[in-house]
């Protein structure tokens, strides 16, 4: 073959290969165009779906639990931002995150976790995509975990409840669990009020997880309203301080103080001892979390003796200036005896309350029908719920019998055979202070007081209140309850605690009263359970607490002094004052 023929044959071979390549490229181009046309024209939704699956996400807008404040805006419960550390086991094993032994050891150390336990847990969770490692980390700990940069270990924002007042408001406010659900106190009672609804938005994110477009709102976030309490934190702190000192000094088992606004029925303070720290509940026993002011009942003893006087006055069995003969200092009823500490002889109604005469109040109670006497207890709120809605509130016990012996009526008149709560006792004295009107109690701050119900004759309430002033005067059992510059009306109570088959050696000391006498503003009940030692009377244990709390509260509320002498006492009682026996 000649040289020219070889060249021609080579050119033909090259041209054939060139056309083959061009044909292949054209076929590929046609295939791509066809595929693109198919996707764009005939099946466009699939492409959008795949793109959306890679970029569209649902973003949750977390709504924090609302604040709880006192009546002056002082924060009692707040939600603070924290973070939770969690693990995606699938990512962890894909990227061999477990090989970073030193980083895992550092993570376990800062979280106070056992390294071997955590590693075993991760091995068991291979098929999961979400495992909590630790909840509610502080910002400093969260930053440390983030800087470790362990594959598959992430942080999730959440909130933690914090209680600035600590043990002072622990029983009243309560606390929440780790998921912000109310477990005790007002946190539980008003859980729905305090909890909002998280919002949800559809957004588009880039590869780095950053939001680049907000598509639509799926669910609107519903923010809760703050809970404004009737509590005055200044009075709350004072009451707790004085009660704690008294229970520790007298080595008492427990104690409660309740402070009410006579004019509105608002609860200004409610404290108990022993208390606890709601911000650190490690090792907390359940019995320490109950609000004893509403859950625990006791036989009130002499603190309910004014009810016998009220019943007798209301029934017309006696007048406010009546004299009762208590000689010889005891009386026999059905084979049982009712005794006074000594023979007081003839006593005015005021002196009966001042000296806390068992014989005197027994005779007054026996002078009226038992139904009317029991009705007085019911009308003052004993035996029924106060309506505050606090968890575990007790109604107390008033026995209903078909037949009452004279001795049973007598013991009821001086506070045995009936059980009440400290809150009920404070409410009863608030009724006396308001001229016989019962205001609905409220733990929420009220702008306008709710309508009150008249449950006692105004004159009867004023007369008994004036008589109770003698209890805090010379010769009375409640001298320690006096407040310089203010006239106080109140009554001591000392009851022996019942045991199987009778009564034991433990006592409950109490004092309840109102001030200032000329225009009552505050009603306070103090109850101290099982004081140890020789001093266990209400006048020795509970009355001093009442005096200190009342003195501080009156000054905090800028209430003017009223201690201007006996002429003012006569004025408020309509000219029927019975001066205290001196």
């Amino acid at each position: 073959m000649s040289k020219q023929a070889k060249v021609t044959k080579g050119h033909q071979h090259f041209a054939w290969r060139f056309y083959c390549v061009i044909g292949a490229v054209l076929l590929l181009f046609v295939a791509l165009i066809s595929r693109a046309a198919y996707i764009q024209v005939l099946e466009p939704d699939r492409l959008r779906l795949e793109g959306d699956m890679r970029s569209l996400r649902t973003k949750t807008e977390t709504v924090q639990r609302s604040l709880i404040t006192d009546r002056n805006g002082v924060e009692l419960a707040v939600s603070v931002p924290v973070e939770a550390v969690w693990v995606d086991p699938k990512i962890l094993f894909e990227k061999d995150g477990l090989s970073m032994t030193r980083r895992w050891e550092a993570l376990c150390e800062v979280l106070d976790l056992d390294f071997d336990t955590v590693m075993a847990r991760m091995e068991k969770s291979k098929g999961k995509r979400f495992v909590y490692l630790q909840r509610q980390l502080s910002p400093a700990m969260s930053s440390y975990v983030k800087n470790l940069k362990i594959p598959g270990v992430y942080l999730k924002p959440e909130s933690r409840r914090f209680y600035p007042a600590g043990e002072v408001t622990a029983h009243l406010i309560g606390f929440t669990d780790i998921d912000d659900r109310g477990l005790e106190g007002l946190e539980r009672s008003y859980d729905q009020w305090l909890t909002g609804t998280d919002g949800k938005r559809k957004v588009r994110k880039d590869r780095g997880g950053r939001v680049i477009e907000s598509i639509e709102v799926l669910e609107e976030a519903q923010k809760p309203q703050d809970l404004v309490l009737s509590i005055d934190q200044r009075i709350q702190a004072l009451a707790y301080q004085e009660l704690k000192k008294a229970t520790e000094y007298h080595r008492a088992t427990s104690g409660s103080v309740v402070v009410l606004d006579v004019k509105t029925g608002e609860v200004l303070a409610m404290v108990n001892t022993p208390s606890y720290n709601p911000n650190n509940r490690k090792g907390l026993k359940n019995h320490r979390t109950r609000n004893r002011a509403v859950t625990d009942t006791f036989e009130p003893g002499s603190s309910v003796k004014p009810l016998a006087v009220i019943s007798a006055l209301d029934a017309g069995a006696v007048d406010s200036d009546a004299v009762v003969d208590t000689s010889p200092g005891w009386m026999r009823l059905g084979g049982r005896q009712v005794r006074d500490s000594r023979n007081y002889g003839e006593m005015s109604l005021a002196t009966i309350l001042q000296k806390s005469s068992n014989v005197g109040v027994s005779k007054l109670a026996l002078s009226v029908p038992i139904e009317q006497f029991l009705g007085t207890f019911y009308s003052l709120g004993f035996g029924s719920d106060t309506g505050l809605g606090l968890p575990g509130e007790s109604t107390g016990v008033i026995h209903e019998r078909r037949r009452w012996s004279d001795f049973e009526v007598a013991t009821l008149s001086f506070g045995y055979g009936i059980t009440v709560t400290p809150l009920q006792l404070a409410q009863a004295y608030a009724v006396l202070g308001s001229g016989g009107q019962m205001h609905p109690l409220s733990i929420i701050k009220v702008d306008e007081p709710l309508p009150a119900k008249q449950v006692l004759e105004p004159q009867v309430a004023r007369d008994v209140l004036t008589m109770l002033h003698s209890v805090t005067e010379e010769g009375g059992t409640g001298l320690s309850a006096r407040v310089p510059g203010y006239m106080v009306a109140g009554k001591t109570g000392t009851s022996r605690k019942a045991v199987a088959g009778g009564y034991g050696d433990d006592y409950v000391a109490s004092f309840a009263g109102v001030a200032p006498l000329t225009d009552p503003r505050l009603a306070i009940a103090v109850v101290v359970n099982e004081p140890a030692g020789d001093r266990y009377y209400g006048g020795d244990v509970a009355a001093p607490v009442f005096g200190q709390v009342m003195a501080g509260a009156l000054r905090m509320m800028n209430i003017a002094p009223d201690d201007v002498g006996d002429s003012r006492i006569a004025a408020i009682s309509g000219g029927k004052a019975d001066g205290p026996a001196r």
Side-chain angles (χ1 to χ4, degrees), residues 29-207:
F29 182 73
V30 170
L32 290 175
I33 294 296
S34 300
R35 180 60 179 169
Y38 176 79
I39 292 175
Q40 295 287 344
V41 178
L42 299 179
E43 202 179 47
D45 293 337
R46 181 179 176 184
L47 183 64
R48 295 193 190 99
L49 178 61
E50 291 184 358
D52 289 345
M53 289 176 63
R54 291 176 173 83
S55 61
L56 288 185
R57 296 291 184 269
T58 299
K59 183 177 178 62
T60 300
E61 296 178 352
T62 303
V63 175
Q64 286 192 341
R65 195 174 179 87
S66 61
L67 296 174
I68 299 179
T69 69
D70 83 335
R71 62 187 307 107
N72 300 312
V74 177
E75 295 177 345
L76 302 178
V78 299
S79 291
V80 295
V82 292
E83 290 185 292
V85 56
W86 62 281
V87 180
D88 183 341
K90 182 178 179 181
I91 301 297
L92 183 68
F93 285 97
E94 282 181 356
K95 297 187 178 182
D96 198 19
L98 289 177
S99 64
M100 300 180 178
T101 305
R102 295 190 62 182
R103 295 189 186 184
W104 272 102
E105 288 176 346
L107 177 63
C108 292
E109 183 178 354
V110 74
L111 299 181
D112 194 23
L113 299 174
D114 180 68
F115 175 77
D116 294 332
T117 302
V118 171
M119 292 297 101
R121 184 182 174 194
M122 292 300 104
E123 288 290 342
K124 292 180 180 179
S125 305
K126 282 184 177 181
K128 299 181 180 179
R129 296 302 306 269
F130 186 97
V131 177
Y132 272 122
L133 201 57
Q134 187 76 280
R135 303 286 300 275
Q136 298 188 344
L137 271 65
S138 65
M141 292 175 66
S142 298
S143 178
Y144 183 85
V145 172
K146 185 177 181 181
N147 291 333
L148 288 175
K149 297 180 179 179
I150 302 175
V153 177
Y154 305 99
L155 293 170
K156 176 186 175 184
E158 57 181 6
S159 64
R160 178 184 178 184
R161 209 63 167 160
F162 177 69
Y163 304 95
E167 61 183 24
V168 174
T169 58
H171 293 108
L172 181 62
I173 303 299
F175 53 84
T176 62
D177 64 10
I178 199 167
D179 292 312
D180 253 2
R181 294 187 295 258
L183 294 182
E184 291 289 345
L186 292 172
E187 291 276 28
R188 177 177 175 179
S189 299
Y190 289 87
D191 187 53
Q192 292 185 344
W193 177 279
L194 294 166
T195 305
T197 303
D198 292 344
K200 293 183 178 180
R201 288 188 301 137
K202 182 182 288 186
V203 299
R204 193 179 301 278
K205 294 185 177 182
D206 61 11
R207 287 188 63 184

Side-chain angles (χ1 to χ4, degrees), residues 250-251 531-537 540-541:
H250 293 285
R251 291 173 290 140
D534 296 332
R535 302 182 67 184
Y536 51 82
Y537 291 107
D540 295 327
V541 178

Side-chain angles (χ1 to χ4, degrees), residues 296-367:
D296 289 16
T297 61
F298 66 103
E299 290 182 304
S302 298
S303 59
V304 297
K305 283 180 178 177
L307 274 68
V309 179
I310 291 171
S311 296
L313 289 173
D314 195 51
V318 295
D319 296 323
S320 59
D321 55 357
V323 173
V324 178
D325 187 4
T326 63
S327 297
W330 57 273
M331 59 190 297
R332 186 173 296 278
L333 297 172
R336 310 284 292 274
Q337 277 193 355
V338 174
R339 286 184 168 276
D340 284 338
S341 58
R342 67 180 179 86
N343 182 10
Y344 292 110
E346 293 186 346
M347 305 176 76
S348 67
L349 300 186
T351 309
I352 288 175
L353 294 177
Q354 183 190 42
K355 300 297 185 182
S356 199
S357 169
N358 292 336
V359 175
V361 294
S362 296
K363 288 190 172 184
L364 292 173
L366 291 168
S367 69

Side-chain angles (χ1 to χ4, degrees), residues 2-30:
S2 64
K3 184 175 182 181
Q4 185 177 1
K6 289 183 179 179
V7 171
T8 301
K9 187 177 181 180
H11 283 177
Q12 291 176 348
H13 183 70
F14 175 78
W16 178 80
R17 287 191 298 174
F18 175 75
Y19 291 135
C20 286
V21 171
I22 293 297
V25 171
L26 289 175
L27 286 174
L28 179 61
F29 182 73
V30 170

Side-chain angles (χ1 to χ4, degrees), residues 242 246 250 478-482 511 526 535 537-550:
E242 294 300 328
H250 293 285
L479 282 176
S480 298
R482 299 171 78 172
F511 188 96
V526 179
R535 302 182 67 184
Y537 291 107
D540 295 327
V541 178
V545 178
F546 174 95
Q548 291 296 324
V549 176
M550 181 65 82

Side-chain angles (χ1 to χ4, degrees), residues 436-458:
Q437 291 186 329
M438 176 175 282
H439 292 274
L441 298 188
S442 176
I443 197 67
I444 307 299
K445 183 181 179 181
V446 297
D447 296 324
E448 292 292 334
L450 296 175
K453 179 182 178 182
Q454 192 75 43
V455 296
L456 297 177
E457 286 294 329

